[in-house]
């Protein structure tokens, strides 16, 4: 049997909080229970929000908490060639297109269409689907716009991707070992269309989360993805990319989120649950484990 490989994959765009501690400790516990290894991946493709100082704090917090990972962490900002290669494959299949509207422009266009009476779907994060008028641009038009220096992100052409994936005839599934927001467990049927034409790269050409995540899970040989339930729906997008790029499919376990006293998801901007603050106030790693119920 192949060895189980887990990963903890935080983004150093703020201080780690109790929710991260829970996810890291749970990954470590589950890996140890079945004799697997734990890898650390630093998801820092957002070069504006992720800073070396925040990464240093993150590593310090994880060491303090007692998280032990195998080998060197994989830092996404050092592996853009891997994401470019995957993007190139999607482009060669005719499934990716340059999208020239900024988020604000896309939002305004959708508002205008809604005002005209068109109903417009939103993704699970509440963001309206990208209008995608560029899908029908000719190759010349795309080349002309790019050559003129117009900024663009790369997006997946969802409709084409769904047909290229063979989803019309066969459903994409994953094995859920935790549970989804509506109690989904066991074999879950993926529904990638809920994301519309999601981003593959940002306007700075750096890989977007879904693409970098599935490429890295495959390169790192991840067999068990254990992460917060807020990423449950993202797994539908991940299954589609895995199918298109012929990548292996790990098991998934979406775990409870640690909520604040008002029942809200913790945020990196709140100091009271940050590991740094709790440590400064005298908490021990054992206190943290107790606070998150482990
Ligand atoms: N980097 C993501 C986060 O910090 C986690 C991604 C994942 O576990 O797939 O929320």
């Amino acid at each position: 049997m192949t060895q189980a490989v887990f990963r903890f994959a935080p983004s150093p765009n703020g201080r780690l909080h109790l929710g991260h501690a829970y996810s890291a400790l749970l990954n470590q516990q589950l890996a140890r229970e079945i004799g697997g290894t734990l890898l650390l991946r630093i998801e820092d493709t957002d070069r504006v929000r992720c800073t070396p100082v925040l990464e240093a704090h993150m590593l310090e917090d994880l060491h303090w908490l007692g998280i032990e990972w195998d080998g060197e962490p994989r830092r996404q900002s050092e592996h853009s060639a891997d994401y470019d290669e995957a993007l190139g494959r999607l482009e060669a299949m005719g499934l990716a297109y340059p999208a020239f509207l900024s988020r604000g422009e896309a939002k305004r266009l959708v508002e205008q269409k809604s005002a005209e009476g068109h109903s417009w779907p939103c993704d699970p994060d509440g963001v309206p689907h990208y209008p995608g008028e560029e899908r029908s641009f000719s190759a010349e038009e795309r080349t002309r716009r790019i050559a003129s220096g117009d900024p663009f992100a790369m997006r997946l052409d969802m409709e084409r991707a769904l047909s290229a994936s063979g989803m019309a005839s066969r459903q994409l599934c994953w094995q859920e070992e935790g549970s989804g927001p509506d109690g989904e467990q066991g074999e879950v049927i993926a529904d990638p269309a809920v994301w519309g034409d999601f981003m593959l790269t940002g306007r700075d050409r750096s890989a977007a989360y879904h693409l970098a995540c599935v490429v890295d899970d495959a390169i790192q040989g991840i067999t068990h993805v254990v992460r917060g339930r807020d990423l449950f729906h993202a797994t539908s997008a991940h299954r589609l990319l895995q199918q298109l790029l012929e990548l292996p499919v790990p098991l998934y376990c979406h775990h409870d989120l640690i909520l604040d006293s008002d029942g809200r998801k913790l945020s990196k901007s709140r100091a009271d649950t940050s590991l740094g603050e709790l440590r400064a106030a005298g908490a021990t790693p054992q206190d943290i484990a107790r606070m998150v119920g482990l």
Side-chain angles (χ1 to χ4, degrees):
M1 221 186 96
T2 51
Q3 211 206 5
V5 185
F6 291 71
R7 83 324 189 253
F8 178 56
S11 303
N13 54 14
R15 292 301 296 264
L16 295 189
H17 54 57
L18 284 174
H20 299 103
Y22 178 58
S23 202
L25 288 166
L26 184 63
N27 266 285
Q28 176 154 284
Q29 181 178 311
L30 294 173
R32 284 181 178 164
E33 268 170 26
I34 60 170
T37 52
L38 174 64
L39 305 181
L40 178 67
R41 178 161 86 226
I42 302 176
E43 299 208 326
D44 62 347
T45 55
D46 181 342
R47 302 308 292 150
V48 177
R49 294 175 65 217
C50 299
T51 66
V53 172
L54 287 170
E55 183 189 306
H57 282 310
M58 190 184 87
L59 292 173
E60 195 186 309
D61 287 342
L62 291 174
H63 283 303
W64 172 76
L65 196 58
I67 303 298
E68 291 170 348
W69 54 88
D70 233 48
E72 287 300 310
R74 179 174 168 94
R75 197 173 283 111
Q76 290 189 323
S77 57
E78 293 169 353
H79 296 280
S80 55
D82 293 327
Y83 317 128
D84 289 348
E85 198 260 338
L87 175 67
R89 287 176 59 196
L90 296 171
E91 282 187 273
M93 289 189 266
L95 306 182
Y97 67 89
F100 296 97
L101 297 185
S102 66
R103 283 176 207 264
E105 287 165 341
K107 192 165 164 266
R108 279 192 292 282
L109 183 60
V110 168
E111 278 164 5
Q112 190 189 320
K113 284 180 186 283
S114 304
E116 289 164 6
H118 299 278
S119 73
W120 205 267
C122 285
D123 71 20
D125 293 338
V127 178
H129 284 190
Y130 188 74
E133 276 154 8
E134 302 92 329
R135 279 190 295 255
S136 57
F137 280 11
S138 65
E140 293 74 43
E141 176 73 356
R142 285 179 188 174
T143 312
R144 190 189 61 73
R145 292 283 298 266
I146 292 171
S148 71
D150 283 356
F152 63 96
M154 290 300 291
R155 286 184 177 265
L156 186 76
D157 183 329
M158 180 55 77
E159 214 174 296
R160 281 168 164 246
L162 290 175
S163 53
S165 71
M167 268 196 76
S169 52
R170 198 167 49 87
Q171 282 166 332
L172 283 183
C173 300
W174 77 85
Q175 189 59 31
E176 177 61 52
E177 308 270 303
S179 61
D182 294 317
E184 300 90 334
Q185 283 183 329
E187 192 173 73
V188 175
I189 297 168
D191 185 11
V194 293
W195 291 101
D197 290 0
F198 61 77
M199 276 211 287
L200 297 167
T201 75
R203 291 182 137 201
D204 63 355
R205 324 298 317 126
S206 66
Y209 163 62
H210 297 311
L211 182 65
C213 178
V214 296
V215 168
D216 281 352
D217 283 340
I219 289 177
Q220 293 188 287
I222 303 301
T223 59
H224 292 66
V225 171
V226 178
R227 62 185 174 197
R229 190 162 297 126
D230 52 338
L231 291 169
F232 178 82
H233 293 295
T235 309
S236 283
H238 297 182
R239 284 295 296 109
L240 177 60
L241 290 175
Q242 286 158 352
Q243 181 77 4
L244 295 169
L245 296 166
E246 299 175 293
L247 304 175
V249 185
L251 293 174
Y252 288 90
C253 171
H254 293 94
H255 61 65
D256 290 344
L257 298 175
I258 304 287
L259 303 176
D260 68 13
S261 46
D262 303 322
R264 279 188 305 249
K265 206 182 118 180
L266 300 183
S267 107
K268 281 180 173 144
S269 51
R270 284 186 51 144
D272 53 349
T273 55
S274 109
L275 297 186
E277 296 280 329
L278 289 163
R279 175 159 51 136
T284 66
Q286 292 72 29
D287 293 331
I288 303 293
R290 240 189 329 270
M291 287 167 85
V292 298
L294 286 172

